[in-house]
Amino acid sequence: MNLDPNTVEIIPFSIDLKEPIKTLNLEWLHKYFKVEPKDERILSDPQGEIIDKGGMIFYAKYADKIVGTVSLLKIDPTTFELSKMAVSDGNQGLGIGKKLMIHCLAVAKEKGIQKLILYSNKSLAPAIHLYESFGFVAIPVEEGVYERADIKMEKYID
């Protein structure tokens, strides 16, 4: 599929779009890792676990289909976790993750968020490269967040 990233629209979460965050994330979790209890809890109730706690969810929409998602989970008033980023299998490598990242950084700046953190796995080289290209830097990762997380990164928002 030759997707033109310029025709991808970033839209906010709405209750009728509760399922795509779960289906997109489960798709890649099953492919690369396993679904952890924390994933199941958050993905089964995105309204309660993300939105109602002050976080945000965004979707990439292309040709009336949701092809990507990302969340900003509130840690405290000035720190959010970039989380639950996923792009559907057939649409990876087309710039959708980059477009979601640009949107998240713009929203963070607009809302006065000072720092974004994220957890990932070094085996996901394209994702790590994307984060680094946006100025995220590796910092020590604490135990017990996600079993699959072997890298933690942060970015201060100017």
Side-chain angles (χ1 to χ4, degrees):
M1 173 168 154
N2 284 334
L3 178 145
D4 176 359
N6 295 322
T7 61
V8 174
E9 182 186 4
I10 306 299
I11 60 171
F13 175 84
S14 59
I15 202 65
D16 60 315
L17 287 176
K18 177 183 172 232
E19 283 308 304
I21 186 174
K22 186 171 188 175
T23 53
L24 287 166
N25 274 277
L26 289 180
E27 179 183 285
W28 84 263
L29 283 169
H30 286 300
K31 183 175 179 178
Y32 297 106
F33 302 104
K34 68 175 189 178
V35 180
E36 297 180 32
K38 182 176 181 178
D39 298 315
E40 190 61 51
R41 188 180 76 247
I42 291 172
L43 296 173
S44 293
D45 183 15
Q47 176 77 45
E49 292 291 326
I50 300 172
I51 303 295
D52 293 349
K53 294 180 177 180
M56 296 161 263
I57 301 169
F58 303 105
Y59 292 113
K61 184 178 177 182
Y62 174 74
D64 289 326
K65 284 184 66 181
I66 301 298
V67 294
T69 186
V70 66
S71 301
L72 291 174
L73 308 179
K74 185 176 184 176
I75 308 289
D76 63 45
T78 61
T79 306
F80 281 67
E81 178 186 344
L82 184 86
S83 183
K84 306 298 176 226
M85 182 183 266
V87 175
S88 60
D89 239 355
N91 295 302
Q92 292 172 357
L94 301 172
I96 295 169
K98 182 177 181 181
K99 193 152 186 165
L100 285 165
M101 183 68 81
I102 290 167
H103 185 79
C104 284
L105 292 172
V107 167
K109 189 169 190 153
E110 174 191 311
K111 297 203 176 286
I113 296 168
Q114 295 172 6
K115 181 171 73 170
L116 292 179
I117 63 165
L118 63 85
Y119 297 91
S120 192
N121 187 287
K122 293 173 191 159
S123 70
L124 301 173
I128 302 300
H129 178 72
L130 175 72
Y131 304 142
E132 289 173 341
S133 75
F134 279 94
F136 280 84
V137 294
I139 59 172
V141 60
E142 66 274 26
E143 289 293 313
V145 180
Y146 293 102
E147 284 178 41
R148 65 181 170 270
D150 66 1
I151 186 169
K152 179 179 183 180
M153 302 179 88
E154 71 179 9
K155 175 179 174 60
Y156 285 90
I157 308 299
D158 337 328

